[in-house]
Amino acid sequence: MRTVGVDLAAGTPGTALAEILWTGSAARLARLEIGIQDADIVASVSAGDAWLGIDCPLGWPDAFVDFVGAHHADTTPSLGPVDGGPDWRRPLVYRRTDHVVFERIGRWPLSVSTDRLGVTALRGAGLLRRLAEAGFPVDRAAEGRLFEVYPGGSLRLWGFETKGYRVDAGRRRTLLDVLAARAPWLDLGGFAPLAIAKADAFDALVAALSTRAGALGMFARPASGALDVARREGWVVLPDGAVEDLAPGVVGRVSPNS
């Protein structure tokens, strides 16, 4: 199995990619790079055994999409007359999956419709098209080999202390030390200095680990009634269990080769 994790940014300089090779007895970080273009990401999953996790929203809230169209046409959106207040805005700001993230980790992720993250999501939409054109199965609801991942959320659920790690290389060094102790089966292959120096590279590594949880089926899927919504808005794969559960040789709830 190969898991590819991408910390996507609006531009190439801030985009990082990590690739972990998994066998029955070992896991090895075979690639960790920054300055990644869409073509690099598409090429990384060209072989059929790759699973891809992208740290980027894969869609926008249904209510937001409806509101923008109604506002543009000067009609009334499905939410009813425009109020503009915080309660009225909430369905436009957060997706169904974002509510699940809040329930799991106790904090809201960035909003794809009202934060600068939306610019990255525009790039992500183009990437999804390129992946589909290359024959990689694109399903925003985590029903295939593509997952929307949230590295910071994964770390919290695995019990890591995440405060300040995005801005403090010392915090990232400490996190890698803890990861090495808890996952001695993971060979970083000499890439630890880059993961420590660059937060984007560190998050790409965590994204690749989160993708392993997705490939093993160790995450909560959308409820049947929310599946259609997830196929439009996207679905964040938040890992169940511990990071130790990702160890080589673990089969999980689905076949790694499915």
Side-chain angles (χ1 to χ4, degrees):
M1 176 196 291
R2 291 189 300 122
T3 61
V4 177
V6 175
D7 183 51
L8 197 69
T12 297
T15 299
L17 182 148
E19 180 178 340
I20 300 178
L21 303 181
W22 304 82
T23 65
S25 59
R28 178 173 61 88
L29 181 61
R31 180 183 181 190
L32 184 63
E33 297 180 20
I34 58 174
I36 295 295
Q37 302 182 32
D38 287 5
D40 299 321
I41 300 169
V42 174
S44 73
V45 296
S46 59
D49 63 339
W51 300 73
L52 175 62
I54 304 175
D55 180 16
C56 172
L58 301 185
W60 281 262
D62 278 355
F64 174 76
V65 174
D66 174 78
F67 165 74
V68 170
H71 185 70
H72 187 70
D74 198 21
T75 60
T76 302
S78 298
L79 287 176
V82 176
D83 176 280
D87 293 337
W88 181 87
R89 293 196 307 261
R90 188 170 296 276
L92 283 72
V93 174
Y94 295 113
R95 303 171 294 162
R96 184 79 61 90
T97 189
D98 297 330
H99 286 265
V100 176
V101 170
F102 179 78
E103 292 168 2
R104 291 284 306 277
I105 70 172
R107 62 185 296 176
W108 291 103
L110 292 177
S111 166
V112 65
S113 58
T114 59
D115 285 306
R116 291 182 61 187
L117 182 63
V119 181
T120 301
L122 292 175
R123 180 186 178 189
L127 173 60
L128 295 187
R129 177 183 61 80
R130 293 179 177 88
L131 287 166
E133 289 174 348
F136 188 82
V138 171
D139 185 305
R140 303 181 208 174
E143 292 286 287
R145 292 190 284 121
L146 171 68
F147 305 119
E148 178 181 334
V149 296
Y150 178 15
S154 293
L155 288 170
R156 292 184 190 97
L157 289 170
W158 287 330
F160 291 87
E161 174 54 59
T162 60
K163 184 177 180 180
Y165 87 92
R166 283 284 307 175
V167 296
D168 187 338
R171 291 293 308 133
R172 293 193 292 275
R173 183 186 303 275
T174 298
L175 284 172
L176 276 187
D177 288 343
V178 176
L179 177 62
R182 293 182 58 183
W185 36 262
L186 177 61
D187 176 7
L188 294 179
F191 292 110
L194 179 58
I196 292 169
K198 299 293 184 179
D200 301 322
F202 185 92
D203 272 354
L205 167 60
V206 179
L209 290 169
S210 302
T211 302
R212 167 75 169 177
L216 295 176
M218 295 179 176
F219 69 99
R221 290 178 168 81
S224 58
L227 189 57
D228 285 343
V229 174
R231 285 176 176 148
R232 294 187 297 269
E233 295 186 345
W235 187 260
V236 179
V237 168
L238 291 176
D240 291 335
V243 71
E244 289 85 350
D245 297 332
L246 306 180
V250 172
V251 175
R253 294 198 293 264
V254 297
S255 169
N257 296 317
S258 64

